[in-house]
Amino acid sequence: MAAHVLRGSRVVQQLVRQRRAAAVAGGGGGGGVPAPAAALAGRAKSTQATELTAEAAKLGPQRDQLDLTFTDTRAAFQSKTTWEVFRGVLVYTLCTSRYLVEHNATLMKLFRKLLGQKLFHTVMRATFYGQFVAGADQASIRPQIENMRSFGVKSILDYSVEEDISTEEAEQAEMRSCSTPGEQEQELTVQKDPMARYHAHREFADRRVKVQSARTYFYMNEAQCEKNMETFLKSIEAVSGSTQCTGLAAIKMTALGRPQLLMQLSEVIMRTRRYLAELAGSERATDVISQDVSVEQIQSRLKETSGPGVEQWLKGLTYDQDGLIHLFSWSGLIDTKTLMSDLFRVPNLTTGRMEPLITSLTKDEEEMFKNMMRRLHTIFSYARECDVRVMVDAEQTYFQPAISRLTMELMRKYNREKAIVFNTYQCYLKEAYHNLSVDLDQADRQHFYFGAKLVRGAYMEQERYRAASLGYEDPINPTFEATSEMYERCLLETLRRIQHYKKYGQPRKLAIMVASHNEDTVRFTVQKMDELDIKREDKVVCFGQLLGMCDHVSFPLGQAGYSVYKYVPYGPIDEVLPYLSRRAQENKGILTKVAKERKMLRSELLRRLVSGQLFYKPVGNYTPV
Ligand SMILES: Cc1cc2nc3c(=O)[nH]c(=O)nc-3n(C[C@H](O)[C@H](O)[C@H](O)COP(=O)(O)OP(=O)(O)OC[C@H]3O[C@@H](n4cnc5c(N)ncnc54)[C@H](O)[C@@H]3O)c2cc1C
């Protein structure tokens, strides 16, 4: 393990050295801000990109009117060659075949056998891989990234290689990583233990089941986590090298450590919330004790039962500027010197004895937790150095309290001068608005910059099924409309706060990404930005969509000067097949939306045919915000 500790920091040092050398060779790198057209030309690496940007430089920057009906086919597909438009029609037509979509994994394996590797790769490049994946590695995806950028759309790199493991192997990996050696596997339900929700269950061990698009990491060992960290670092390096504006990258915490630790931490957070509610005599579980409750009240609540260590514990309660009481110094969590089991000790409210809130961790588990924290620090220190924002993806609700808490502490540490760390809020959750407001308040009280990505959520079916099987309340809003209402409520809250900060001279205090393919959501955001006088060039609201989907929304937005990012998956063909398989599955669920995009692609194809533009060469001159 010690070797890993060293390896992580060496990787960063090496990347930082390379970065600085490149900056010197390039005559100052990130120092001055070059004119947009020159900036485009300066960054182009491949021959193709250099040609395009040189031509773009002659034209000067450009900005279009935004048509909020998102029906302008020319604007939607002007970054594409006619072959790419045709490929879009083909892929979306294939996606309408339920049989093909539902059996895509088996069919892909069959085709690979029948066609042989070479021909199979050619077919994949001409269809699904070409549509949804940018290329095999960072060098080969550069032309596409440059092309999108010249049409106003930036990239978030997502290395989409997944272990192609069977359900059985996934179950084994999950159950092995989620129990302490020697521990008996128990079939817990919420009736037997209210915290059963935060334990692994064999029935749900394959976390890929009933999930849309999101990538799943299974814990193999610490060395694998180290490799995942290196991949994230390389993505940060790549975006910092390819964007003039602050780049963006995304990470998943389950890739960086043993998931059991996230479950245990989630459990301890929920126990803490309940404990605090009991201590403060409140009905609702809470993260802090409000100003209304004094320390004297807490002392008198504990007086009857006060045991050894309680006095000391009372002295250790932490207060923030508004006088709110926190049970622990949560910042200790991300401090690699603190032991988890030392941090979470509280007096038992009946016996008065100090007790741990967490089942004690073995020495190895404590070490693994420290490793995970070290990996997170390595990523965020490097991101800060490269001026790249990093979004922490939201995952299942049994991990999410821990992921969110850790992300908030990382924000507190790394978002002192600008928003580098972004948290993700899943608006399909009944608790979404509450969680977001609590976190926004914390950032405000503790004076750090706040970054949030708003999504609807990718794990709906799995969450519902798990809740019903284990007997806890469904955490998801009852209907799609309720989720959309929640999304708009969260969005409005952040936009209002952005407006407020702007008014008081802190225009960048809060930044958000609207990560959605939903046209109504995008329209709502644009309209509210207008109403609240939040300008596109304020650079505090950006949009996020996946490569190969929703181009009719992303590109017109980018060409009208809004900040837009595409999640850009990349990786060798054979290794991204599991990702492609899920992409096809997801499209099945949104056939009506796909129908619109397919219709628009067809119209564009026809338009080019009729107007003699079959050999149209995309040359963009849009400056991304
Ligand atoms: C850039 C980007 C980043 C993302 N990052 C994350 C992430 O970190 N974590 C994550 O979980 N997801 C993430 N997602 C996925 C996202 O949560 C959605 O699954 C996906 O984008 C579909 O939502 P939509 O708004 O685009 O489309 P829509 O089709 O408008 O919405 C579909 C979504 O609505 C919700 N929904 C559908 N039916 C119901 C119902 N009956 N009741 C309640 N809710 C319902 C579900 O969440 C469903 O996925 C990301 C998506 C993008 C584009």
Side-chain angles (χ1 to χ4, degrees):
M1 267 173 211
H4 291 141
V5 177
L6 275 175
R7 232 172 115 211
S9 54
R10 249 189 253 137
V11 171
V12 186
Q13 282 162 11
Q14 197 185 345
L15 287 169
V16 169
R17 269 199 303 274
Q18 280 169 2
R19 214 181 125 68
R20 288 186 181 144
V24 171
V33 182
L40 279 175
R43 282 193 309 277
K45 292 270 158 66
S46 69
T47 326
Q48 188 194 347
T50 311
E51 276 170 18
L52 290 178
T53 47
E55 218 167 310
K58 282 187 227 144
L59 298 170
Q62 206 176 313
R63 189 175 279 197
D64 295 351
Q65 281 286 332
L66 179 64
D67 167 16
L68 278 176
T69 61
F70 299 113
T71 49
D72 179 350
T73 60
R74 198 200 53 84
F77 307 118
Q78 63 173 323
S79 69
K80 297 195 183 319
T81 60
T82 306
W83 155 246
E84 285 163 343
V85 175
F86 172 74
R87 186 185 60 202
V89 176
L90 178 70
V91 167
Y92 281 129
T93 306
L94 290 174
C95 284
T96 55
S97 158
R98 282 199 183 270
Y99 181 83
L100 208 98
V101 167
E102 269 162 26
H103 300 91
N104 75 79
T106 326
L107 287 172
M108 280 201 259
K109 277 184 191 149
L110 186 71
F111 279 136
R112 190 161 42 174
K113 242 188 192 164
L114 288 176
L115 301 176
Q117 177 128 335
K118 215 167 162 197
L119 194 54
F120 175 71
H121 282 190
T122 310
V123 172
M124 288 305 285
R125 264 191 227 103
T127 54
F128 290 96
Y129 183 83
Q131 177 74 14
F132 298 118
V133 183
D137 52 37
Q138 284 173 10
S140 64
I141 67 178
R142 206 169 262 280
Q144 185 163 359
I145 288 179
E146 290 294 340
N147 178 49
M148 290 203 306
R149 202 174 48 73
S150 72
F151 284 91
V153 175
K154 296 166 280 182
S155 303
I156 303 173
L157 302 197
D158 181 18
Y159 188 60
S160 296
V161 168
E162 291 182 21
E163 300 275 344
D164 193 8
I165 55 175
S166 66
T167 300
E168 207 178 14
E169 286 167 323
E171 278 176 10
Q172 273 169 11
E174 187 73 349
M175 296 314 288
R176 205 176 41 237
S177 71
C178 286
S179 54
T180 310
E183 194 185 315
Q184 287 289 314
E185 200 181 302
Q186 294 172 36
E187 271 315 309
L188 284 177
T189 60
V190 174
Q191 283 75 32
K192 284 189 204 154
D193 175 358
M195 291 294 157
R197 182 176 172 176
Y198 300 102
H199 290 254
H201 297 263
R202 187 165 286 277
E203 193 185 348
F204 307 100
D206 186 350
R207 284 184 270 121
R208 298 166 300 184
V209 177
K210 297 180 193 290
V211 172
Q212 275 192 358
S213 77
R215 174 167 178 206
T216 305
Y217 290 90
F218 289 99
Y219 179 82
M220 298 301 164
N221 48 45
E222 292 295 291
Q224 183 59 45
C225 296
E226 212 67 24
K227 267 197 192 157
N228 294 340
M229 177 192 76
E230 285 169 19
T231 306
F232 292 144
L233 289 173
K234 283 181 191 152
S235 292
I236 293 173
E237 164 74 5
V239 274
S240 90
S242 68
T243 40
Q244 205 66 35
C245 19
T246 309
L248 258 181
I251 65 161
K252 274 201 162 54
M253 272 200 200
T254 45
L256 295 170
R258 201 170 153 176
Q260 182 203 9
L261 299 168
L262 291 172
M263 279 197 191
Q264 277 178 294
L265 184 56
S266 292
E267 179 177 343
V268 95
I269 288 167
M270 297 323 282
R271 284 188 192 280
T272 305
R273 286 183 186 162
R274 286 177 180 207
Y275 182 87
L276 273 174
E278 212 180 320
L279 199 61
S282 142
E283 301 242 312
R284 183 171 188 153
T286 171
D287 283 314
V288 286
I289 298 181
S290 78
Q291 293 100 321
D292 312 337
V293 183
S294 67
V295 182
E296 288 70 34
Q297 278 170 288
I298 296 177
Q299 265 170 331
S300 71
R301 170 83 176 81
L302 291 169
K303 213 173 186 177
E304 309 286 304
T305 56
S306 226
V310 175
E311 279 296 310
Q312 195 59 29
W313 177 80
L314 275 167
K315 279 192 205 138
L317 286 177
T318 57
Y319 304 82
D320 63 26
Q321 279 162 333
D322 289 356
L324 299 182
I325 300 171
H326 298 254
L327 211 49
F328 314 109
S329 161
W330 289 103
S331 57
L333 254 188
I334 57 162
D335 176 354
T336 46
K337 291 191 201 84
T338 311
L339 291 179
M340 277 245 269
S341 29
D342 285 350
L343 188 63
F344 300 116
R345 293 179 71 79
V346 291
N348 180 308
L349 292 179
T350 317
T351 65
R353 270 198 298 273
M354 292 298 290
E355 285 177 356
L357 272 175
I358 191 166
T359 35
S360 67
L361 299 184
T362 64
K363 218 169 144 231
D364 270 357
E365 286 167 343
E366 286 282 4
E367 184 71 18
M368 286 173 189
F369 189 73
K370 282 187 200 167
N371 278 345
M372 192 172 175
M373 292 310 109
R374 174 187 48 75
R375 289 179 195 120
L376 286 167
H377 284 302
T378 306
I379 288 171
F380 287 108
S381 315
Y382 186 57
R384 189 167 53 185
E385 163 92 17
C386 297
D387 194 18
V388 168
R389 292 170 285 174
V390 179
M391 307 203 157
V392 180
D393 281 356
E395 304 187 49
Q396 283 89 344
T397 46
Y398 44 89
F399 293 135
Q400 204 44 38
I403 293 175
S404 198
R405 183 76 254 161
L406 289 169
T407 308
M408 285 302 288
E409 290 313 315
L410 291 161
M411 266 198 216
R412 185 138 69 120
K413 182 169 168 63
Y414 292 96
N415 288 8
R416 285 280 153 207
E417 281 152 25
K418 65 193 302 190
I420 291 289
V421 185
F422 275 57
N423 203 358
T424 300
Y425 296 86
Q426 296 159 312
C427 298
Y428 64 14
L429 295 180
K430 292 173 183 163
E431 288 283 306
Y433 180 78
H434 171 76
N435 293 342
L436 175 68
S437 334
V438 166
D439 289 354
L440 281 165
D441 288 346
Q442 185 190 342
D444 195 52
R445 283 197 312 272
Q446 296 174 350
H447 306 295
F448 57 84
Y449 285 70
F450 189 83
K453 173 175 68 166
L454 300 182
V455 299
R456 280 189 167 75
Y459 307 91
M460 180 178 78
E461 274 188 69
Q462 192 187 82
E463 292 282 3
R464 284 197 164 148
Y465 182 50
R466 194 174 190 269
S469 304
L470 299 182
Y472 58 88
E473 187 191 331
D474 180 0
I476 311 285
N477 289 310
T479 60
F480 172 73
E481 288 69 30
T483 291
S484 293
E485 248 171 61
M486 179 65 86
Y487 198 107
E488 291 185 357
R489 199 170 163 217
C490 291
L491 185 58
L492 255 185
E493 180 65 30
T494 50
L495 291 178
R496 286 209 187 101
R497 291 196 193 216
I498 288 174
Q499 184 200 33
H500 173 84
Y501 283 130
K502 198 173 162 182
K503 197 165 147 197
Y504 290 96
Q506 294 180 298
R508 296 279 173 83
K509 204 69 203 277
L510 168 53
I512 59 163
M513 171 182 269
V514 177
S516 171
H517 300 120
N518 188 308
E519 286 179 27
D520 290 334
T521 301
V522 173
R523 260 190 294 275
F524 180 84
T525 312
V526 168
Q527 280 158 358
K528 291 295 161 197
M529 281 172 73
D530 243 14
E531 277 171 40
L532 297 171
D533 195 29
I534 299 166
K535 305 258 183 298
R536 26 200 123 168
E537 47 288 335
D538 288 347
K539 293 190 186 180
V540 284
V541 179
C542 66
F543 295 88
Q545 280 117 24
L546 299 173
L547 183 80
M549 285 180 75
C550 241
D551 287 347
H552 66 292
V553 175
S554 317
F555 282 90
L557 277 174
Q559 288 152 21
Y562 287 90
S563 177
V564 188
Y565 288 86
K566 284 281 199 190
Y567 259 44
V568 177
Y570 69 99
I573 297 185
D574 292 324
E575 292 169 54
V576 297
L577 288 182
Y579 170 82
L580 281 175
S581 170
R582 278 202 321 276
R583 176 67 337 114
Q585 286 285 348
E586 181 170 8
N587 284 345
K588 178 189 72 174
I590 51 169
L591 282 182
T592 43
K593 271 191 221 155
V594 170
K596 174 172 177 183
E597 209 166 341
R598 194 181 45 160
K599 202 168 150 213
M600 286 181 68
L601 281 158
R602 269 206 222 126
S603 307
E604 176 62 6
L605 200 57
L606 200 66
R607 192 189 67 79
R608 290 193 193 178
L609 198 66
V610 173
S611 60
Q613 289 189 334
L614 275 184
F615 299 101
Y616 162 77
K617 189 177 165 195
V619 179
N621 186 30
Y622 296 87
T623 312
V625 176

